[in-house]
């Protein structure tokens, strides 16, 4: 199992959510976050100067089976990309175990249904 954490533009959340659902990734958590980046770049929109290091972000946290990692990352990359500074980051880390509280099931089976996804 792997944990995929993605920091994306808040404006891209709905597109990424739909792409994940289309890729059969049915469950994830998300949080609205802010952060500071190394790159400093200003954009002017309708006469107002914006610092791109303060663009609102959404942090997605997704735990998936190993076979679904590339599908998950691909869905995020495809829909979160704008080609501009501040598109975000994806972090992938191992998960040692998972337990479904309701049933006590452990491991991959606790993530979704008994059917392999």
């Amino acid at each position: 199992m792997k944990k995929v954490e993605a920091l994306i533009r808040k404006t891209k959340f709905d597109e990424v959510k739909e792409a994940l659902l289309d890729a059969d990734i049915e469950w994830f958590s998300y949080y609205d976050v802010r952060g500071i980046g190394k790159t400093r770049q200003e954009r002017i929109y309708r006469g107002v100067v914006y610092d791109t290091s303060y663009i609102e972000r959404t942090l997605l946290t997704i735990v998936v089976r190993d076979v679904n990692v590339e599908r998950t990352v691909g869905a995020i990359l495809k829909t979160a990309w704008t080609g501009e500074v501040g598109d975000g980051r994806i972090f992938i880390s191992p998960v040692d175990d998972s337990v479904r509280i309701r049933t006590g099931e452990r491991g991959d089976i606790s993530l979704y249904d008994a059917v392999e996804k």
Side-chain angles (χ1 to χ4, degrees), residues 1-57:
M1 292 178 290
K2 302 282 189 218
K3 178 162 64 169
V4 178
E5 293 180 299
L7 278 166
I8 63 169
R9 295 174 184 267
K10 191 172 183 177
T11 57
K12 289 294 209 167
F13 174 72
D14 287 331
E15 292 175 55
V16 171
K17 177 183 73 172
E18 290 303 318
L20 288 169
L21 292 174
D22 289 346
D24 292 327
I25 306 303
E26 301 166 342
W27 185 92
F28 59 89
S29 298
Y30 65 94
Y31 316 89
D32 291 332
V33 296
R34 289 181 179 248
I36 303 287
K38 179 180 175 184
T39 303
R40 301 280 189 246
Q41 186 174 4
E42 293 180 341
R43 301 273 186 200
I44 299 174
Y45 179 72
R46 294 188 178 180
V48 178
V49 177
Y50 293 93
D51 183 348
T52 58
S53 63
Y54 297 110
I55 293 173
E56 293 182 327
R57 310 274 183 213

Side-chain angles (χ1 to χ4, degrees), residues 54-72:
Y54 297 110
I55 293 173
E56 293 182 327
R57 310 274 183 213
T58 299
L59 173 64
L60 305 174
T61 302
I62 311 159
V63 178
V64 295
R65 293 182 173 122
D66 290 340
V67 297
N68 292 334
V69 172
E70 289 307 315
R71 184 179 352 171
T72 303

Side-chain angles (χ1 to χ4, degrees), residues 70-99:
E70 289 307 315
R71 184 179 352 171
T72 303
V73 171
I76 296 167
L77 282 174
K78 182 178 175 184
T79 52
W81 184 85
T82 67
E84 297 182 10
V85 172
D87 274 350
R89 298 271 193 279
I90 299 174
F91 304 99
I92 303 167
S93 54
V95 173
D96 292 332
D97 201 2
S98 172
V99 180

